[in-house]
Amino acid sequence: MSGAGRTSALAPFHIRNYRFQWPSDLLTSWAFEVETLVLGWYIMVETGSVLLLTVLASLQYVGTLIAPVLGMVGDRMGHRDLLAAMRLAYTVLSATIMTLALTGHLAPLNVMIIVSIMGLIRPSDLGVRGALLADIMPAELLVGAISLARTTQDTARIAGALTGAALFAALGIGFVYVAIACFYLAAAVLMLCLTRPAKSLGAVDHPANDTPSSTLLRDLKEGIVYAWSGPGMRAALCVAFLANLTAFPLTNGLLPYVARDIFHTDQTGLGYLSASFAVGSLIGSITLSLAGGVRIARLLIGATLAWYAMLLVFVEIRTMPVAMACLVLAGMAQSMSMISAAVMLMRHASAHLRGRVMGVRMMVIYGLPLGLLAAGSLIDLIGYSATGTLYGSAGFIAMMAIALHWRADLWPVHAPANVR
């Protein structure tokens, strides 16, 4: 790689706030991934129920419906302060699980309750960090910054899948949660080290006689209507909902079931499968951070279709090495698809509404718990392969429909969504 390429790829780190946000996001993402893997395996081992496994995964996303509200709170109080408060809350909740596990009082019901509480705020984390990123980053560095920010999730999934499985097998859930709580606490401290971005221009002053409730509802409505205001933003939101409904269930919540019942492996094998998808995602993120002049809308279409094609192959494979290779390719396509959607939203969002726009983006993640719950029931009825084929085929066809419906806004080289 040339020196110019290296400078371009690492340019976002020239911004002081980004040098604190990136490691804070990294530690949070690591904790998320280890926690998801450990709790999923714990529920699968303790209960043996794929339905309860999908319920657990779904509970982590119950807060998607209130994500626009948290986005609005972030627009008002500042995205940096909101993220710090959220990560301190994660610390308290993970320390509770740690205490219960170390004292021998942890039970599946306790896990479900605590995960439900965390699920109220955790889905908004990605949206708020995206809004903060847009606050602190110059427009010309936004694609590279979002791509590099995505590597925090990708490396976290690799580290979480491999180290989380090994630590769980060697030390047990209690000591794993000691590390998780420390990660969350360090992430909160790093977030507090950021300088508060300047208040965005364009915010509307409300009449003095407005009640707090009327102001709240008006601001919330404004954000939701604005997020649905342009063809490019609507298309990005539709793709995000579709992916969460039909693609992510196969590689997120269902992986513990796939590892145990399809490939007949243990938590180490689960770690390899999860890490394979993350390796591909990391490759995709790094590739985009180095690439220049990408037609984002075209990339969104092509990457999403390739993602579904790989998933259709994956659900038919019964050999671990081949399945891992397929997940690497699926991860690459997934990363490029989701980065493209995020860039399209952030490019078109007004600064004072970014939190609400990304809150709406997080709200569409509600497709994931719906897809997970449906998949858990369908697997019991028609089997894993048929369920996976149904999800992959439906997603591919729906993505083609989205591309055709908004083809005038997504495909032409000179369309606003394809501006380099």
Side-chain angles (χ1 to χ4, degrees), residues 97-116:
I97 294 182
M98 175 191 74
T99 303
L100 290 172
L102 292 176
T103 57
H105 292 94
L106 189 65
L109 179 60
N110 297 333
V111 169
M112 295 289 189
I113 293 172
I114 295 172
V115 168
S116 298

Side-chain angles (χ1 to χ4, degrees), residues 215-408:
T215 302
L216 178 71
L217 291 174
R218 181 167 50 248
D219 286 355
L220 183 58
K221 179 182 177 181
E222 180 187 12
I224 293 175
V225 170
Y226 180 81
W228 199 250
S229 62
M233 296 175 76
R234 289 200 297 268
L237 290 172
C238 286
V239 172
F241 177 78
L242 177 66
N244 280 283
L245 181 68
T246 59
F248 278 118
L250 299 176
T251 53
N252 282 26
L254 289 175
L255 265 190
Y257 168 80
V258 173
R260 196 189 73 162
D261 288 33
I262 303 301
F263 292 107
H264 307 291
T265 185
D266 57 11
Q267 63 263 46
T268 302
L270 168 61
Y272 289 149
L273 289 172
S274 183
S276 297
F277 187 77
V279 167
S281 186
L282 179 61
I283 293 171
S285 299
I286 293 175
T287 300
L288 269 186
S289 73
L290 298 174
V294 178
R295 305 292 185 186
I296 289 296
R298 287 187 169 190
L299 179 63
L300 176 69
I301 296 171
T304 307
L305 291 174
W307 183 8
Y308 280 113
M310 288 299 101
L311 291 179
L312 285 169
V313 175
F314 171 70
V315 297
E316 299 298 332
I317 292 173
R318 295 296 181 269
T319 305
M320 275 283 289
V322 181
M324 290 167 61
C326 188
L327 284 175
V328 170
L329 296 175
M332 291 173 62
Q334 172 268 154
S335 177
M336 293 182 178
S337 172
M338 293 296 97
I339 289 174
S340 298
V343 171
M344 287 174 64
L345 289 171
M346 286 295 94
R347 275 182 173 175
H348 293 88
S350 294
H352 73 288
L353 291 170
R354 282 177 183 143
R356 274 162 277 187
V357 170
M358 291 308 290
V360 174
R361 164 64 182 88
M362 292 301 104
M363 186 170 66
V364 303
I365 292 178
Y366 201 70
L368 180 54
L370 294 177
L372 282 168
L373 290 173
S377 300
L378 285 171
I379 287 173
D380 288 338
L381 291 174
I382 63 176
Y384 164 74
S385 294
T387 300
T389 300
L390 175 63
Y391 271 46
S393 300
F396 191 94
I397 293 170
M399 185 61 221
M400 288 292 294
I402 291 171
L404 289 173
H405 181 73
W406 282 295
R407 60 187 178 279

Side-chain angles (χ1 to χ4, degrees), residues 16-17 39 45 52 101 112 150 178 211 259 289 292 310 331 346 389:
R16 177 190 178 276
N17 276 350
L39 292 182
V45 170
L52 284 179
M112 295 289 189
R150 180 80 187 193
V178 173
T211 63
S289 73
M310 288 299 101
M346 286 295 94
T389 300

